[in-house]
């Protein structure tokens, strides 16, 4: 592959549906041009960081690299559309920097600390049991992604959020409008992904305004109440920041975790001995969950912008230059992972994964995601006696958050 043809690997949604081919090409790029400049028609230029060391270093250097409101890669035309739409500019935690970011993150931080997440374990157990029962009821054939991974991970997050079960389809719609906007299965009637994204956000303003009113009048033990009543410097959080806070918490937690579960399960169905070997071995289950998250790397990138001229991996990047942190590539870096193209639940280096990022923006929900996977894996390893693929897996089309969206399985249970 000529490096001049590499651009679509990062921005074309359909390039994320054949990950074997994608990883083969990325291995070549890591070898030959690990900090790769991309000049694509319709896009401002950017550099892709494909190595673990470079993604790690830039992510942690908050002085010289900012997130800004353009922390996801998109065509210039989408950005112009967004500005013209009157929609509030993206300002979730991932779009904030410095003290503004620190203060907003502090609003919910306690909720995501290990002790707080541990406290929710009984409820995660209950929900996992519910979906293992569903697996049993389905009688030996299912679309694991659609029947189990998606609704299970959605239910866990919505439960802590405080969104009632009947509103879960709405939250799914919002997420697909934002993350999976380019996939024809999720595009709906919209003419293009940009329009779909804007439409989704606009429709949810009303929903979240109502939620704020409810939780201010009557706070509950849930995240929605924390966000509704969140304060910055002793004053209520701004309306726009609150809206985006709801949106990120409603969307960041389930498609990501769901793709880690479905993509990991695909590998386990190809080599079930790895799954059955986990039964009753808690440490191995912990490692296996990390391996699933390393392998799938469902968040495909975030961008960072240079505050002054910088050199990364020997390549000069000018002030204002932007880099794409390529997590799936960093997670297959031969310099860090032994035999990185092999899925191995017992690999000793699984915990060096960069799927959750690193530094000040390190995934707020990482503890939840890990627990959800471990809880389900523990049960699957003990309850399943047979599992195999029952057709070809299908991949969601998105250059931002994607993974296995349909996973036909045939299985037997104890
Ligand atoms: C396997 C599942 C998940 C993956 C792969 C993932 C990945 C990521 C990544 C790569 C980032 C940006 C990190 C950086 O810039 O350094 C992030 C941030 C974030 N994630 Fe996750 N995530 C997952 C699950 C969750 C869950 C369950 C939640 C719960 C609501 C969540 C909420 C967030 C939030 C709020 C942020 C923004 C943090 C900040 O900018 O300060 N994520 N996640």
């Amino acid at each position: 592959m000529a490096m001049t043809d590499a651009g679509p690997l990062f921005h074309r949604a359909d390039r994320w549906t054949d990950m074997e081919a994608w990883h083969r090409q990325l291995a070549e790029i890591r070898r030959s041009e690990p900090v790769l400049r991309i000049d694509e028609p319709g896009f401002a230029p950017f550099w892709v960081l494909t190595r673990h060391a470079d993604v790690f270093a830039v992510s942690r250097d908050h002085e010289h690299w900012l997130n800004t409101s353009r922390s996801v890669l998109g065509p210039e035309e989408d950005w112009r559309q967004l500005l013209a739409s009157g929609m509030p500019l993206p300002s979730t935690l991932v779009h904030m920097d410095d003290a503004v970011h620190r203060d907003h993150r502090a609003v919910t931080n306690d909720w995501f600390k290990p002790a707080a997440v541990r406290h929710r374990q009984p409820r995660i157990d209950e929900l996992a049991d519910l979906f293992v029962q569903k697996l049993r009821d389905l009688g030996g054939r299912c679309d694991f992604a659609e029947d189990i991974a998606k609704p299970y991970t959605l239910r866990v997050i919505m439960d802590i959020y405080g969104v009632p079960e009947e509103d879960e389809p709405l939250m799914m719609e919002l997420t697909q409008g934002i993350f999976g906007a380019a996939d024809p299965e999720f595009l709906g009637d919209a003419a293009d992904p940009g329009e779909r994204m804007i439409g989704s956000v606009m429709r949810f303003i009303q929903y979240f305004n109502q939620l704020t009113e409810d939780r201010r009048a009557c706070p509950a033990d849930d995240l929605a109440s924390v966000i509704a009543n969140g304060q910055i410097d002793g004053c209520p959080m701004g309306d726009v920041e609150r809206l985006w806070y709801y949106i990120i918490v409603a969307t960041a937690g389930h498609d990501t975790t769901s793709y880690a579960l479905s993509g990991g399960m695909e590998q386990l169905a190809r080599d079930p001995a790895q799954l059955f070997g986990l039964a009753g071995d808690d440490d191995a289950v912990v490692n296996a969950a990390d391996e699933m998250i390393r392998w799938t790397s469902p968040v495909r990138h975030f961008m960072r912008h240079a505050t002054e001229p910088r050199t990364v991996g020997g390549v000069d990047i000018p002030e204002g230059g932007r880099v794409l942190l390529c997590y799936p590539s960093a997670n297959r870096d031969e310099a860090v992972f032994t035999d990185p193209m092999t899925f191995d639940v017992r690999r000793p280096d699984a915990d060096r994964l960069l799927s959750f990022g690193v530094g000040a923006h390190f995934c707020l929900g990482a503890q939840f995601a890990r627990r959800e996977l471990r809880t389900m894996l523990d049960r699957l390893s003990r309850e399943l006696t047979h599992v195999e693929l029952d057709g070809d897996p299908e991949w969601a089309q998105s250059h931002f958050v994607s993974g296995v969206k349909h996973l036909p399985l045939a299985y037997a249970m104890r």
Side-chain angles (χ1 to χ4, degrees):
M1 182 188 58
M3 290 307 152
T4 44
D5 299 337
L9 286 172
F10 306 102
H11 69 79
R12 279 264 306 263
D14 59 359
R15 291 301 175 94
W16 295 88
T17 57
D18 180 353
M19 290 309 288
E20 248 185 73
W22 188 92
H23 277 298
R24 256 197 321 276
Q25 288 166 308
L26 262 291
E28 197 186 320
I29 294 174
R30 273 196 305 279
R31 260 193 311 276
S32 56
E33 224 174 317
V35 177
L36 177 65
R37 181 181 162 121
I38 304 284
D39 288 284
E40 279 283 287
F43 288 80
F46 58 95
W47 284 261
V48 179
L49 308 188
T50 61
R51 286 192 302 212
H52 191 282
D54 295 332
V55 172
F56 191 88
V58 166
S59 299
R60 282 167 48 103
D61 182 357
H62 309 292
E63 193 189 331
H64 299 109
W65 295 97
L66 299 180
N67 282 32
T68 82
S69 52
R70 299 190 71 179
S71 43
V72 176
L73 179 67
E76 290 304 293
E77 180 51 32
D78 278 13
W79 184 247
R80 276 192 290 275
Q81 253 186 43
L82 186 74
L83 292 175
S85 72
M87 178 177 117
L89 284 188
S91 56
T92 73
L93 290 182
V94 292
H95 300 95
M96 293 175 177
D97 288 293
D98 305 324
V100 174
H101 170 251
R102 192 194 55 223
D103 293 348
H104 282 81
R105 187 164 163 127
V107 170
T108 54
N109 207 23
D110 284 354
W111 263 74
F112 291 98
K113 284 190 173 151
V117 179
R118 203 163 34 239
H119 170 69
R120 303 263 154 188
Q121 184 63 45
R123 183 66 182 140
I124 302 176
D125 286 335
E126 235 173 78
L127 293 173
D129 287 339
L130 203 74
F131 283 94
V132 170
Q133 184 56 45
K134 181 175 178 190
L135 203 57
R136 204 175 285 286
D137 295 343
L138 287 168
R141 287 208 138 83
C142 74
D143 175 348
F144 186 84
E146 191 66 25
D147 295 329
I148 306 295
K150 205 157 125 178
Y152 163 61
T153 52
L154 183 64
R155 187 76 58 85
V156 173
I157 289 303
M158 292 306 146
D159 197 68
I160 60 161
Y161 202 130
V163 168
E165 210 176 313
E166 63 267 24
D167 288 350
E168 283 176 10
L170 268 178
M171 294 295 132
M172 205 62 229
E173 219 182 286
L174 174 66
T175 311
Q176 286 171 347
I178 292 181
F179 289 170
D183 190 306
E185 189 176 334
F186 308 141
L187 192 56
D189 298 331
D192 66 55
E195 184 193 310
R196 169 101 161 93
M197 205 274 259
I198 293 167
S200 294
V201 171
M202 297 303 258
R203 284 197 309 113
F204 279 89
I205 292 179
Q206 175 64 25
Y207 181 90
F208 288 121
N209 281 346
Q210 186 60 50
L211 193 62
T212 302
E213 252 179 58
D214 292 352
R215 292 307 197 280
R216 283 185 176 168
C218 193
D221 177 27
D222 59 28
L223 256 179
S225 300
V226 178
I227 298 172
N229 297 289
Q231 299 208 335
I232 305 292
D233 289 336
C235 300
M237 202 190 310
D239 289 344
V240 169
E241 287 75 14
R242 194 176 53 252
L243 168 70
W244 281 108
Y245 219 127
Y246 281 128
I247 291 178
I248 193 167
V249 178
T251 56
H254 49 92
D255 262 15
T256 47
T257 316
S258 165
Y259 288 137
L261 183 52
S262 58
M265 196 59 200
E266 180 202 351
Q267 296 309 310
L268 294 170
R270 292 182 189 281
D271 183 7
Q274 291 205 44
L275 174 64
F276 302 140
L278 300 174
D281 185 342
D282 290 348
D283 292 342
V285 166
V286 166
N287 205 66
D290 274 6
E291 174 64 348
M292 288 166 96
I293 300 166
R294 177 193 78 91
W295 181 263
T296 54
S297 225
V299 175
R300 306 313 200 178
H301 76 274
F302 272 116
M303 309 294 291
R304 295 289 192 270
H305 304 252
T307 58
E308 57 181 68
R310 305 296 297 164
T311 303
V312 183
V315 173
D316 292 333
I317 296 178
E319 180 180 342
R322 55 193 196 139
V323 295
L324 181 146
L325 309 175
C326 192
Y327 302 118
S329 171
N331 280 332
R332 301 284 177 103
D333 189 341
E334 302 73 10
V336 171
F337 300 98
T338 308
D339 202 2
M341 299 300 176
T342 300
F343 178 86
D344 175 6
V345 293
R346 300 215 171 237
R347 68 166 49 251
D349 45 25
D351 63 352
R352 298 194 64 191
L353 78 177
L354 275 181
S355 314
F356 293 119
V358 60
H361 289 274
F362 177 75
C363 175
L364 198 54
Q367 302 288 338
F368 268 112
R370 284 177 153 140
R371 260 175 201 275
E372 285 174 55
L373 292 191
R374 292 170 192 166
T375 308
M376 183 53 84
L377 263 184
D378 165 59
R379 280 152 178 78
L380 295 178
S381 66
R382 288 185 289 108
E383 300 288 328
L384 287 171
T385 55
H386 172 83
V387 63
E388 63 179 322
L389 290 182
D390 190 28
D392 290 331
E394 253 186 78
W395 296 75
Q397 296 187 29
S398 166
H399 76 304
F400 176 35
V401 174
S402 54
V404 173
K405 66 173 178 177
H406 295 298
L407 181 66
L409 292 184
Y411 56 92
M413 298 180 77
R414 239 171 258 295

